[in-house]
Amino acid sequence: MKNPNKKLKLRLSVYFIIIVSAELFSILGASIAFSYLFPLIADDIVLPEWVLILAFSVVVGVACSIFVNKVVLSKISNLSRSMSRVAQGEFDIELKTDSKIDEIQEIYKSFNLMTRELSATEMLKSDFVSNVSHEFKTPIGAIEGYAMLLQEKNLTDEEREGYLEKILSNTGRLSDLVGNILLISKLENQSIGEKREKYRLDEQIRKTLVMLEPKWSEKELELDAELENVEYFGNEGLMFHVFNNLIGNAIKFDPRGGDLILRLQERDGYVIFTVEDSGPGINEEHMSRIFDKFYQGDSSHKGEGNGLGLSLVKRIVDLEGGTVEAENRACGGCKFKVIIKKS
C-alpha cells in the first residue's frame, strides 16, 4: 500500500502550485482586461489601474486559499489538535471526516486505529496491575496469617508443621507468580534471545512427565502416551513451559483415576502435540478467554495457579510461529493442540 503521507504531501504541493498559478493568471488576466476596459470606464473610476489589478488578484488568491483550507488544511488542523489530546493521555477520541481525499480518509482511519489500540493497551495495563496486586495480596496475606499463628506457644507439632507447610505453599505461589510475570514481560518485549538449538521434543516431553510423576501418580491417572521421535530446532527452555503448563493443567483438572492422553506427531513438516484429560471440560462462555492473562474460568482450582500458564503457552507458541487451540472432547474432558513448524 502506498504511503498516504507522501501522497498527501504531493497533493498539497499541487494545491500550492494551483494557488500560485491562479494568482499569476489572475494578475495577467486582470492586466489584459483592464488594459482594454480601463480606457472605457476610466471616467467613472477614481482608482489607478494597478490598484484594481492588485485587488482583483487578492480576491482570487483569497478564494483559492479558502478552498484549500476547507478541503485540506482544516482537516490537518483537526488532526493536530486531536494528536495533542492523545499526547496528554486522552485515548477515547474518534475522528470523522467528510473529506473526499483518499489520503485524508486513510490518515483519519489510521489515527482511529491508533487510539483504539492505545485505549485497549491502557485498559489491559490497568487490569494487569489490578490482577497482579490481587495475586500478590492473597498469598502474602496467607503467609502473614500463618506466621502469626506460629507465634502461639501452645501449638502441637502437627499444627506447627501444617502452618509451615501452608507458608511454604504460598511462598511457592509467589515465586511462580513473579517468575511468570517476568517471563511474560520479556516475551512481550521480545527481550529474550533466540538461543535456538536442535533437540528431541519427545525426550523433553518424557522428562516433563517424569518431573510431574508425583502429581499424576497421586491421582492414579491412566497415562496413554504415544510420542514419535521428533527432532526440533527451537528454544528448548521456552518450549519446556509449553509442555509443563499444558500437561500440568491436564493433571490438575483430571479426576482421580482419569485419563491423561499425550500424542506427538510429525506431519508434512509440522509438529503436532496434543494433550487430553477426562475432566469437566471448559465452559463455552470461558473458551474464548482461556489464554488471557490471569483468567481462571474454574474458581475451584484458583488456589493452585495464577492464571498465567496458558497465556505463557500462547505467547511462546506465537513466537515459534505456531498455533495453540483448545476444544472440549465429545466423551468429556478437554483437548489442547499445539501445531508448530518443525524448522
Side-chain angles (χ1 to χ4, degrees):
M1 186 176 67
K2 293 182 178 180
N3 189 333
N5 292 326
K6 290 183 179 180
K7 293 178 69 178
L8 183 59
K9 288 178 181 177
L10 178 61
R11 192 182 290 270
L12 288 173
S13 300
V14 171
Y15 284 139
F16 176 75
I17 293 172
I18 290 174
I19 292 175
V20 174
S21 301
E23 286 285 353
L24 293 175
F25 279 114
S26 68
I27 294 172
L28 179 62
S31 300
I32 295 172
F34 282 114
S35 66
Y36 288 101
L37 295 176
F38 196 77
L40 300 176
I41 61 176
D43 294 338
D44 300 325
I45 299 177
V46 296
L47 295 174
E49 181 180 353
W50 67 270
V51 174
L52 295 174
I53 293 174
L54 179 61
F56 181 77
S57 63
V58 168
V59 170
V60 172
V62 169
C64 291
S65 298
I66 291 174
F67 169 76
V68 172
N69 181 68
K70 183 177 181 181
V71 172
V72 178
L73 298 182
S74 63
K75 316 299 181 187
I76 295 177
S77 297
N78 185 30
L79 178 64
S80 178
R81 289 192 298 272
S82 299
M83 291 181 71
S84 297
R85 291 171 59 191
V86 170
Q88 294 172 4
E90 294 183 49
F91 303 134
D92 56 341
I93 304 173
E94 184 172 358
L95 297 181
K96 295 182 180 179
T97 179
D98 55 359
S99 175
K100 305 300 181 184
I101 301 176
D102 293 340
E103 293 79 15
I104 293 290
Q105 293 178 2
E106 188 66 30
I107 289 174
Y108 270 47
K109 187 184 298 182
S110 299
F111 176 85
N112 290 333
L113 177 61
M114 177 190 71
T115 54
R116 285 196 296 270
E117 291 294 329
L118 287 172
S119 180
T121 301
E122 185 68 18
M123 188 177 299
L124 285 174
K125 179 182 174 182
S126 299
D127 289 344
F128 184 79
V129 171
S130 175
N131 284 317
V132 167
S133 300
H134 178 267
E135 291 295 333
F136 270 103
K137 185 178 180 180
T138 302
I140 288 176
I143 291 171
E144 182 183 15
Y146 289 119
M148 290 177 65
L149 289 173
L150 280 174
Q151 292 179 333
E152 298 289 336
K153 296 181 179 180
N154 300 323
L155 293 177
T156 64
D157 290 342
E158 185 178 352
E159 288 174 331
R160 194 179 302 277
E161 289 179 5
Y163 295 153
L164 287 172
E165 184 178 343
K166 294 290 186 181
I167 290 175
L168 289 173
S169 174
N170 281 282
T171 52
R173 283 185 62 190
L174 276 176
S175 178
D176 290 342
L177 177 62
V178 172
N180 285 338
I181 289 174
L182 290 175
L183 182 55
I184 280 185
S185 177
K186 289 179 181 178
L187 290 173
E188 290 184 340
N189 291 289
Q190 298 200 355
S191 59
I192 293 181
E194 283 295 303
K195 298 180 182 177
R196 303 178 74 84
E197 57 186 349
K198 183 176 287 188
Y199 68 99
R200 290 267 299 273
L201 275 183
D202 54 302
E203 287 299 325
Q204 186 176 40
I205 295 172
R206 290 189 182 94
K207 290 178 182 177
T208 305
L209 280 172
V210 171
M211 187 185 72
L212 295 173
E213 191 271 338
K215 293 184 177 180
W216 55 266
S217 291
E218 181 185 356
K219 297 184 78 171
E220 301 177 352
L221 300 183
E222 188 68 31
L223 180 62
D224 180 4
E226 293 182 10
L227 309 175
E228 295 182 4
N229 296 339
V230 176
E231 283 195 342
Y232 179 68
F233 185 75
N235 191 313
E236 186 174 3
L238 291 182
M239 288 303 296
F240 164 77
H241 289 282
V242 173
F243 300 128
N244 184 58
N245 277 292
L246 291 180
I247 298 173
N249 270 356
I251 295 171
K252 179 168 66 176
F253 291 102
D254 240 332
R256 180 171 294 277
D259 297 322
L260 179 61
I261 304 171
L262 306 178
R263 297 288 185 270
L264 180 67
Q265 303 172 317
E266 182 184 340
R267 297 290 183 272
D268 301 322
Y270 286 88
V271 177
I272 304 171
F273 171 74
T274 60
V275 54
E276 304 176 43
D277 61 62
S278 51
I282 301 173
N283 193 309
E284 290 300 326
E285 65 183 75
H286 302 309
M287 187 67 78
S288 62
R289 297 192 57 193
I290 59 173
F291 295 107
D292 292 352
K293 297 186 190 75
F294 295 106
Y295 188 77
Q296 292 178 278
D298 185 355
S299 59
S300 65
H301 291 273
K302 193 171 181 62
E304 300 175 35
N306 47 52
L308 289 175
L310 290 180
S311 180
L312 267 175
V313 168
K314 179 72 166 59
R315 184 60 182 148
I316 293 169
V317 173
D318 286 346
L319 287 176
E320 292 293 310
T323 60
V324 56
E325 55 190 37
E327 63 179 15
N328 288 320
R329 302 197 308 167
C331 57
C334 188
K335 175 181 179 180
F336 280 85
K337 178 189 287 187
V338 174
I339 302 177
I340 50 178
K341 269 192 174 183
K342 185 178 177 183
S343 59

